[in-house]
Amino acid sequence: MQKINHKAAFLTIILLFVLGGFWSLAAPNVLTADKSDDPVFIALFSVGVICYVYFNAWLLVKTRFTSFIDGVLLIMGIWLFSVMPNLFFIQAILALPFGNFFYLLAFGACSGLITSLVLSAWRSSRTIFKG
């Protein structure tokens, strides 16, 4: 039985916080108007990142994939078939300019790629039966 690798999850969370910080510095004004210094916005982003990483870590443990490629394909497949269509729906409702829309898509893709690479590469080594 494998457990979630909390060290890998913590490293992923830190990397996504750094990515989110740099990404928000380069964000168009339409997306960050009156939100960049709001502590509620930062708290919601932080909770969202933590939930996202731990859900993916839990999912990798529950699916019991043993290869690196399977884990990467699972997490990137979730982004491709779940998150990306939702962003297209949001685009249809909000009618954002395509530059802002691709900005949001790129952040989701980068965070999914980082999460999939770190969590899939650094699997937990704890098992009940060794050998």
Side-chain angles (χ1 to χ4, degrees):
M1 179 175 150
Q2 290 192 343
K3 301 281 184 185
I4 292 175
N5 187 348
H6 295 285
K7 293 176 192 172
F10 183 71
L11 175 65
T12 305
I13 290 168
I14 295 299
L15 289 174
L16 291 183
F17 283 163
V18 170
L19 177 70
F22 285 128
W23 216 265
S24 69
L25 291 176
N29 289 336
V30 174
L31 297 176
T32 60
D34 301 328
K35 299 253 189 269
S36 59
D37 295 332
D38 187 12
V40 173
F41 178 73
I42 295 169
L44 287 175
F45 175 78
S46 301
V47 169
V49 165
I50 292 168
C51 291
Y52 172 73
V53 169
Y54 271 100
F55 172 75
N56 284 318
W58 172 81
L59 191 62
L60 284 174
V61 168
K62 289 300 178 186
T63 55
R64 298 181 187 174
F65 285 136
T66 56
S67 75
F68 170 74
I69 295 297
D70 289 339
V72 169
L73 289 176
L74 175 70
I75 293 175
M76 291 310 294
I78 289 171
W79 179 81
L80 184 65
F81 296 112
S82 179
V83 176
M84 193 171 78
N86 194 17
L87 285 175
F88 279 109
F89 179 72
I90 290 171
Q91 169 63 22
I93 298 295
L94 296 179
L96 293 171
F98 279 109
N100 297 345
F101 174 65
F102 287 121
Y103 178 83
L104 293 175
L105 271 178
F107 178 75
C110 289
S111 64
L113 184 64
I114 289 171
T115 303
S116 66
L117 291 176
V118 173
L119 292 180
S120 296
W122 193 3
R123 302 291 295 247
S124 179
S125 61
R126 296 178 288 169
T127 61
I128 292 175
F129 303 106
K130 300 237 179 198

